[in-house]
């Protein structure tokens, strides 16, 4: 199968993720959409790796997974601490600081 | 099925396996980063094994020694001729050891050392149950206002984890401007960002605001780094390589051996243009340029003030270093495409930062918008695309970072019953009540405004001169206009401090320990020295202004 199709899929997933970040209001869901964007990047890396016939892209996919895992650790810690003090994970409620 | 057939599944043919060569690592050239990473890991071990009472001193010792040793390593590398007469590419092409990298690493390390002193300050807040406390929460996991928080405060807990977190962030910042391939760039970006997200959430006072700032910074930062990563993916797809020099060759069209796959993707300009745009966008987010600046005021306001000072100074240095390297090393062949876009970004950033700052009533938000305006001024130097553009940006970053960290250190001193008094109305008449603190803050504000005999003037003059010589004269005109707008609100704060009556219920100025005094003193000293006698440092930045490829 032509690897270019996987690139279209990657771009589509990335767009879905970016749209989700912009329109969803729950911090956890927003964060999951960011993870979807990172996974779309991984798919693009692997597809490009296949096209060029070198392994760089596949190696990077591993690094991205590790980075995404580290981001989950930090992100969930922050979101959970916000949720515990406000009983809400909505990003709209977090508006103490306005102009 | 015969035994031999099964056996062949995990045996190999008679030909020798091609072994992977062990990578060659130049430990000497990577010493500054390795020292900081080692110390950060050591700091985590200190958290695990040292008794709570002595952790603060142990962490301080580890962090100060590591930052000083790393700075000594940077100086030793520079004295060895790296950056001026020779340049190295270390760790199999992953990290560049050249003039701009060493200059910025030195700046980041000194800034971090000064920032560390403000982190360690324990005399500003009143003692809680007989324990001296710093700006950081007793126990980050406890819910604000809950019993567990009160218990943690009563037990005298302090979050000494901030020291290893600071060191991890510094490690990422050291690699970020020196990264010589896109993977290293991305990993360094995350290593510097993740500890900063956590540090933002750790304020002792106004914890809800602090947590809110951390969530905003985290979500927007992760969003921006996803864009960066997709940009990296597209650039990799375009060039088939992660290394800066190979991508630059493919962009220039001077690459030697072109296989059919590369010939196919090389012809696809959409990959290059979209990839470069997404990558640069991620970096512009980190420097806080309009239209990617929305996080800056909220995060600067909500984060603990020592963290804000460190973040505002050091992140900007690291991110501009990385941006310079991307634009000057990877994408010089594309400069006719990126220059118009960066022109627009610089103009909007300078004007928006200066104009919106006028309406601010909170001193931390005011400094945040001022940092946005300064990002615009630095971008004017970046756009020059000349050697003097690089050196002027290096000088500006060094000057700006010390002014910033000093200014935020002064903000920590002005306090009332609720902690820091950041509302501008409370600063009225501060000059009558404590002339010295107000005078020091006035020096920093004058440096931000770019008044002669301060480092701000020397820096601004250098970047505007470079921009004018680089053919960006209209940008200089806009820069001078927005400097004038910005000067208005800096001077307004000075007038407020010195020429209005102090309020009876106004804030008091806390007497800090020698730590914060040192931080502010270094800030003033650097501001004045770089302003009165900038020549030596301008030459130093000029000597350091050549990228390795």
């Amino acid at each position: 199968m032509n690897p270019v199709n996987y690139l279209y899929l990657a771009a589509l997933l990335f767009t879905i993720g970016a749209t989700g970040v912009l329109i969803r209001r729950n911090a956890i869901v927003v964060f999951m959409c960011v993870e979807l964007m990172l996974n779309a990047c991984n798919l693009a890396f692997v597809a490009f790796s296949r096209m060029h016939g070198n392994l760089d892209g596949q190696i990077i996919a591993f690094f991205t997974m590790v980075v995404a895992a580290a981001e989950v650790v930090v992100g969930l810690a922050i979101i959970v601490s916000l949720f515990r003090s406000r009983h809400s994970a909505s990003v709209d409620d977090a508006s103490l600081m306005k102009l | 099925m015969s035994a031999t057939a099964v056996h062949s599944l995990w045996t190999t043919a008679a030909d020798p396996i091609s072994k992977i060569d062990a990578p060659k690592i130049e430990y000497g050239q990577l010493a500054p980063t390795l020292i900081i990473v080692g110390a950060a890991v050591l700091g985590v071990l200190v958290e695990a094994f040292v008794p709570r009472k002595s952790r603060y001193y142990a962490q301080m010792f580890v962090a100060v020694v590591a930052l000083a040793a790393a700075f000594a390593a940077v100086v030793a590398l520079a004295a060895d001729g790296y950056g001026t007469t020779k340049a190295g590419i270390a760790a199999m092409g992953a990290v560049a050891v050249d003039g701009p990298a060493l200059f910025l690493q030195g700046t980041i390390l000194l800034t971090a050392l000064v920032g560390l002193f403000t982190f360690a300050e324990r005399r500003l807040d009143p003692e809680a149950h007989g324990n001296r406390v710093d700006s950081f929460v007793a126990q980050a996991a406890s819910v604000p206002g809950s019993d567990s928080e009160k218990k943690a405060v009563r037990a005298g807990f302090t979050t000494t984890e901030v020291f290893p977190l600071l060191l991890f962030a510094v490690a990422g910042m050291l690699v970020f401007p020196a990264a010589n391939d896109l993977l290293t760039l991305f990993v360094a970006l995350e290593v510097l960002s993740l500890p900063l997200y956590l540090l933002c959430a750790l304020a002792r006072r106004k914890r809800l605001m602090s947590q809110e700032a951390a969530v905003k910074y985290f979500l927007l930062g992760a969003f921006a780094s996803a864009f960066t990563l997709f940009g990296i993916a597209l650039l990799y797809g375009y060039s088939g390589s992660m290394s800066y020099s190979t991508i630059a060759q493919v962009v220039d069209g001077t690459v030697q051996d072109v296989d059919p796959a590369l010939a196919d993707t090389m012809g696809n300009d959409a990959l290059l243009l979209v990839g470069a745009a997404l990558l640069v966008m991620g970096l512009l987010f980190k420097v806080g340029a309009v239209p990617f600046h929305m996080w800056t005021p909220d995060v600067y306001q909500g984060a603990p003030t020592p963290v804000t000072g460190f973040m505002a100074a050091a992140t900007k240095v690291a991110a501009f270093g990385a941006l310079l390297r991307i634009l000057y090393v990877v994408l010089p062949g594309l400069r006719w495409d990126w220059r118009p876009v960066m022109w627009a970004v610089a103009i909007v950033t300078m004007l928006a930062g200066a104009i919106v700052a006028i309406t601010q009533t909170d001193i931390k938000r005011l400094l945040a918008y001022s940092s946005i305006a300064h990002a615009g001024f630095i971008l004017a130097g970046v756009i020059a695309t000349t050697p003097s553009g690089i050196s002027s940006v290096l000088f500006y970053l060094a000057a700006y970072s010390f002014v910033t960290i000093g200014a935020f250190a002064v903000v920590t001193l002005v306090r009332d019953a609720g902690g820091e008094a950041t509302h501008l109305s409370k600063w009225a008449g501060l000059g009558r009540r404590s002339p010295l603190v107000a005078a020091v803050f006035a020096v920093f504000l004058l440096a931000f405004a770019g008044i002669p005999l301060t480092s701000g003037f020397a820096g601004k003059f250098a970047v505007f001169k470079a921009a004018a010589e680089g053919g960006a004269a209209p940008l200089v005109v806009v820069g001078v206009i927005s400097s004038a707008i910005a000067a208005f609100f800096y001077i307004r704060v000075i007038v407020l401090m010195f020429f209005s009556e102090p309020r009876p219920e106004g804030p008091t100025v806390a007497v800090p320990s020698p730590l914060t005094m040192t931080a502010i003193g270094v800030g003033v000293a650097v501001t004045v020295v770089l302003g009165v006698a900038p020549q030596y440092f301008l030459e130093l930045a000029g000597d350091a202004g050549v990228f390795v490829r």
Side-chain angles (χ1 to χ4, degrees):
Chain A
M1 192 172 160
N2 188 354
V4 174
N5 291 335
Y6 289 99
L7 293 178
Y8 293 135
L9 178 61
L12 187 68
L13 287 175
F14 189 84
T15 315
I16 293 172
T19 316
V21 171
L22 295 175
I23 64 174
R24 295 307 295 264
R25 286 291 158 256
N26 185 309
I28 301 275
V29 179
V30 170
F31 183 44
M32 280 163 59
C33 290
V34 171
E35 295 294 313
L36 181 62
M37 293 167 78
L38 292 180
N39 283 327
C41 296
N42 266 353
L43 184 58
F45 274 122
V46 174
F48 279 128
S49 182
R50 174 78 173 75
M51 283 166 71
H52 284 292
N54 64 27
L55 289 177
D56 291 9
Q58 300 189 20
I59 303 290
I60 297 157
F62 283 117
F63 275 87
T64 310
M65 287 178 210
V66 175
V67 165
E71 221 167 58
V72 170
V73 172
V74 169
L76 281 185
I78 293 174
I79 294 172
V80 166
S81 70
L82 181 92
F83 176 78
R84 283 177 13 129
S85 41
R86 286 168 187 271
H87 303 289
S88 148
S90 162
V91 287
D92 279 351
D93 291 350
S95 58
L96 280 174
M97 290 172 288
K98 280 261 173 76
L99 193 69
Chain B
M1 190 190 273
S2 73
T4 49
V6 173
H7 195 66
S8 71
L9 281 177
W10 61 83
T11 56
T12 178
D15 294 331
I17 308 166
S18 60
K19 291 256 164 57
I20 300 172
D21 292 325
K24 208 162 116 275
I25 308 285
E26 292 80 353
Y27 291 100
Q29 294 176 27
L30 296 171
T33 316
L34 293 178
I35 291 171
I36 295 296
V37 174
V41 173
L42 195 63
V44 175
L45 292 178
V46 167
E47 277 308 311
F49 294 112
V50 174
R52 201 181 282 277
K53 284 282 170 216
S54 36
R55 266 183 219 166
Y56 169 78
Y57 300 100
Q59 293 285 19
M60 266 296 276
F61 177 75
V62 169
V64 169
V65 168
L67 289 170
F71 184 71
V74 168
V75 172
L77 282 173
D80 201 22
Y82 283 101
T84 47
T85 54
K86 61 179 173 184
I89 292 182
M92 314 278 286
V95 177
V97 186
D98 57 6
L102 288 177
F103 188 93
L104 294 175
Q105 287 180 339
T107 309
I108 291 165
L109 287 167
L110 285 183
T111 315
L113 192 59
V114 176
L116 181 77
F117 291 155
T118 60
F119 273 52
E121 174 64 54
R122 292 192 146 185
R123 288 211 196 144
L124 297 176
D125 251 324
E127 291 187 356
H129 305 284
N131 299 303
R132 284 202 176 144
V133 294
D134 48 24
S135 320
F136 299 100
V137 65
Q139 198 170 40
S142 60
V143 176
S146 67
D147 284 343
S148 74
E149 188 192 36
K150 291 192 189 93
K151 227 182 269 173
V153 172
R154 208 172 309 125
F157 291 173
T158 50
T159 307
T160 40
E161 289 92 340
V162 294
F163 297 106
L165 284 173
L166 173 98
L167 289 179
F168 277 121
V170 171
M173 288 169 184
L174 294 183
V175 179
F176 202 39
N180 201 41
D181 68 35
L182 293 173
L183 176 59
T184 314
L185 180 85
F186 177 66
V187 173
L189 171 70
E190 293 296 325
V191 171
L192 89 84
S193 303
L194 294 178
L196 285 179
Y197 301 148
L198 287 175
L199 285 171
C200 283
L202 296 181
R204 177 171 285 269
R205 312 283 193 119
K206 299 174 186 154
R207 286 191 60 197
L208 284 179
M209 226 154 106
S210 170
Q211 290 177 347
E212 181 181 319
V215 168
K216 285 179 177 169
Y217 193 20
F218 169 73
L219 288 178
L220 292 174
F223 191 45
S225 50
F227 276 99
T228 314
L229 190 65
F230 204 68
I232 291 174
L234 294 182
L235 280 181
Y236 168 68
Y238 175 76
S239 65
S241 166
M242 298 300 276
S243 122
Y244 281 11
S245 55
T246 315
I247 297 173
Q249 282 173 359
V250 176
V251 174
D252 286 344
T254 55
V255 66
Q256 291 303 321
D257 45 321
V258 179
D259 56 33
L262 182 57
D264 194 27
T265 53
M266 257 176 88
N268 192 344
D269 276 347
L271 283 181
L272 172 63
L273 291 174
V274 177
L278 292 179
L279 175 60
V280 170
M281 204 191 94
L283 294 173
L284 287 177
F285 173 87
K286 274 288 153 204
V287 304
V290 179
F292 313 111
H293 68 292
M294 304 307 282
W295 60 277
T296 318
D298 282 0
V299 174
Y300 278 26
Q301 189 188 359
T305 309
V307 175
T308 311
F310 167 69
M311 185 166 76
T315 313
K316 199 152 267 186
V317 176
F320 265 111
L323 184 66
L324 269 181
R325 196 179 289 277
I326 291 286
L327 293 180
Y328 281 58
V329 176
V330 185
L331 302 171
L334 205 61
R335 67 178 173 283
W336 302 113
D337 293 300
W338 62 252
R339 275 189 63 156
V341 179
M342 298 299 272
W343 266 63
V345 170
I347 288 174
V348 179
T349 307
M350 288 190 281
L351 287 177
I355 291 170
V356 181
I358 293 176
T359 64
Q360 298 305 313
T361 52
D362 185 284
I363 191 77
K364 282 167 89 177
R365 281 184 95 84
L366 183 114
L367 291 178
Y369 278 103
S370 122
S371 93
I372 294 171
H374 280 277
F377 299 141
I378 305 174
L379 277 177
V382 172
I383 288 166
T385 46
T386 54
S388 68
I390 303 176
S391 57
S392 68
V393 169
L394 296 183
F395 180 83
Y396 198 117
L397 288 171
Y400 173 77
S401 56
F402 284 98
V403 180
T404 307
I405 213 156
F408 279 105
V410 175
V411 172
T412 61
L413 300 184
V414 182
R415 311 177 78 88
D416 58 15
E420 286 156 15
T422 54
H423 200 274
L424 264 183
S425 64
K426 294 184 177 163
W427 285 56
L430 195 73
R432 308 267 179 96
R433 207 173 279 158
S434 18
L436 182 62
V437 170
V440 165
F441 198 63
V443 169
F444 291 136
L445 289 175
L446 292 175
F448 278 135
I451 305 296
L453 296 183
T454 62
S455 60
F457 175 75
K460 242 178 217 170
F461 185 77
V463 288
F464 286 162
K465 184 159 164 279
E469 284 167 358
L475 214 54
V476 178
V477 175
V478 177
V480 172
I481 292 172
S482 51
S483 298
I485 301 172
F488 165 73
F489 63 78
Y490 294 128
I491 304 289
R492 198 185 60 176
V493 175
I494 295 177
V495 169
L496 185 76
M497 286 193 303
F498 285 98
F499 300 108
S500 53
E501 284 301 318
R503 289 218 204 146
E505 77 285 13
T508 54
V509 173
V511 179
S513 70
L515 290 168
T516 301
M517 281 187 204
T518 315
I520 297 174
V522 170
V524 173
V526 172
T527 306
V528 173
V529 169
L530 290 190
V532 175
Q535 205 51 46
Y536 171 75
F537 298 95
L538 280 170
E539 277 168 17
L540 192 68
D543 289 342
V546 181
F547 283 109
V548 66
R549 203 159 104 128

